Amino acid sequence: MFRSVLEGPTAQADMTVLVNGAETPAWDGETVAGVLLRVPGAGRTSAVTGEPRLPYCQMGVCFDCLAIVDGVASTQGCLVPVKPGMRIESQQGAREIGR
Amino acid sequence: MDADVIIIGAGVVGAALAYGVAKTGRTVVVLDGGDRDLRAARANFGLVWVQGKGSDAPAYSLLTRQSSDLWPEFRNELANRSPLALDYSRPGGLAFCLSETEYENRAAINERTHNQGAEADTAMVDRAELERMLPALTLGPDVVGASYCKLDGHVNPLQLLASLHHAIPSMGGKIMFRNPVEKIVPVAGGFNVIAAQGTLQAPRVIVAAGLATPTLTEPLGLSVPLRSERGQILVTERLAPILPFPGSGLRQSADGTIMIGATNENVADIGVTVSSATQLALRAMRIVPALGSARLVRQWAGMRVLPLDKTPIYAESLDYPGLFAAACHSGVTLAAAHAAMIAPAMASGHLPDQFAPFSNGRFNVQKCA
Ligand SMILES: Cc1cc2nc3c(=O)[nH]c(=O)nc-3n(C[C@H](O)[C@H](O)[C@H](O)COP(=O)(O)OP(=O)(O)OC[C@H]3O[C@@H](n4cnc5c(N)ncnc54)[C@H](O)[C@@H]3O)c2cc1C
Ligand code: FES
């Protein structure tokens, strides 16, 4: 839906990350929230209403960017820079903690 | 006169009493204090809790059971009078035991309460049974068992307070916020209540101002001996349901958050501390180790309103008939009894003998009755 400003017409991606298992180009300096914004359907669903959500404030206060990053649930995507090979998964509804 | 009854304090005690007074058809005005006041009603854990209560005070144990039984109807009536959500459930509650000693102590408390004549509504459950009751989680190795009381329940305490604040005006009552009372002055036929926004008059006044109650009643010779106690609470992010029963110290709200608490600290400072957060988190993880991976989103402290013997105080002035005070811990649990039993009695001008065990006279026979 969005395009990254880092992503010029010719610019090569700096890395690949996995978004819900799909290889996705990403650029140095981007956050996980930036990636979630540009990949269709990658946002989370609200733990309260089940409605879809996308990253909003980009500064750590709204929690609408929660995602499972490298297996760690409820990670605030806007506070985490991307790294090559990072596994980003959408977090659906209320988090389940392990048993 | 400005109302039949003036209530001072719109915390959960004052608001439940006002709701009960309004239900009797009398006019009621509630005066509340400033935003920086100590307000246990906005800082508590939300248990509607029976087990362990009044194990050494039969009248308190009985009142708690009565309130617990009144709660479902109280909740439904209140929910019908307000459009706000009011999450309440009564699946029974657990007091987790993390050692043989804790288990034995708990069993002894239950036995004491039952020996006073209370119905046998609380039973010890061993670890195997507890595991069957909690299929969605793995208990920590220290958990020996728990005490289970089928009467226990929980409510969202902020929704409870908001619902009461909504219902009172809809029943013809009035609440004046940010209107701290300075003084109560007896006059012919009643009292002048002198407050920041002006003076109001009524034949009956109930002081339910939490820890500030004695400062208002003592100048009139009505003693209400209280002490404060700090309690800190931790709250996690919303989690998928894992805890189907509220527990003392650990409950999952209808929203999915897990509340962990509360400490018992004899300090006057209202701040939060890292050491208490650590202590609470460690105990919660001894019960449910997986909680170690949950994120904490909030920590706060509240000040308990504690009568010196922990039993509620429903006091009536002998010098100035019509002046009452109500102060207690467990104002959430007792809200249904306050609305249905205490409010009508105070509004009619006299506390019947059944409430004598709660009079302030028990602290000092010479000074008051
Ligand atoms: C950490 C903690 C956990 C708890 N957990 C539970 C629980 O699980 N279950 C349970 O049943 N109970 C629990 N409680 C106890 C419960 O919260 C209290 O019993 C209850 O809130 C007391 O209510 P209150 O209305 O008397 O006092 P408060 O809530 O303190 O309200 C007093 C009100 O009086 C007002 N006031 C003060 N001075 C004046 C004045 N001069 N003029 C006008 N208004 C004034 C204040 O503004 C305030 O609104 C807990 C308490 C704490 C602190
Ligand atoms: S986008 Fe608001 S907290 Fe991350």
Side-chain angles (χ1 to χ4, degrees), chain A residues 33 54-66 75-79:
Chain A
L54 282 176
Y56 180 59
C57 73
Q58 309 294 336
M59 59 181 202
V61 297
C62 74
F63 289 75
D64 268 335
C65 59
L66 296 184
T75 301
Q76 282 173 276
C78 67
L79 303 182

Side-chain angles (χ1 to χ4, degrees), chain A residues 16-55:
Chain A
T16 301
V17 295
L18 290 171
V19 179
N20 292 324
E23 292 198 352
T24 306
W27 281 262
D28 285 335
E30 262 192 314
T31 63
V32 168
V35 175
L36 292 174
L37 280 175
R38 70 185 151 68
V39 177
R44 69 169 187 132
T45 55
S46 157
V48 184
T49 60
E51 285 169 2
R53 286 281 194 275
L54 282 176

Side-chain angles (χ1 to χ4, degrees), chain A residues 47-48 72-75 94-99, chain B residues 135 137-138 237-240 242 290 293-295:
Chain A
V48 184
V72 181
S74 294
T75 301
R95 173 180 175 195
E96 295 194 10
I97 53 172
R99 293 203 37 155
Chain B
L137 55 80
T138 304
E237 62 182 313
R238 292 184 157 104
L239 299 171
I242 52 168
S293 69
R295 290 188 188 250

Side-chain angles (χ1 to χ4, degrees), chain B residues 306-340:
Chain B
L306 278 187
L308 297 186
D309 59 3
K310 299 191 176 170
T311 293
I313 299 175
Y314 307 121
E316 178 174 1
S317 166
L318 289 190
D319 300 335
Y320 303 105
L323 175 66
F324 297 89
C328 66
H329 182 55
S330 297
V332 174
T333 305
L334 294 172
H338 288 165

Side-chain angles (χ1 to χ4, degrees), chain B residues 8-14 31-34 37-41 43-47 179-181 208-210 212 216 231 233 262 302-305 328-333:
Chain B
I8 303 175
V12 71
V13 173
L31 310 183
D32 200 37
D37 284 355
L38 298 176
R39 286 174 157 162
N44 69 74
F45 203 66
L47 295 175
N179 191 14
V181 172
L216 291 168
I233 291 175
M303 289 305 211
R304 290 187 184 85
V305 182
C328 66
H329 182 55
S330 297
V332 174
T333 305

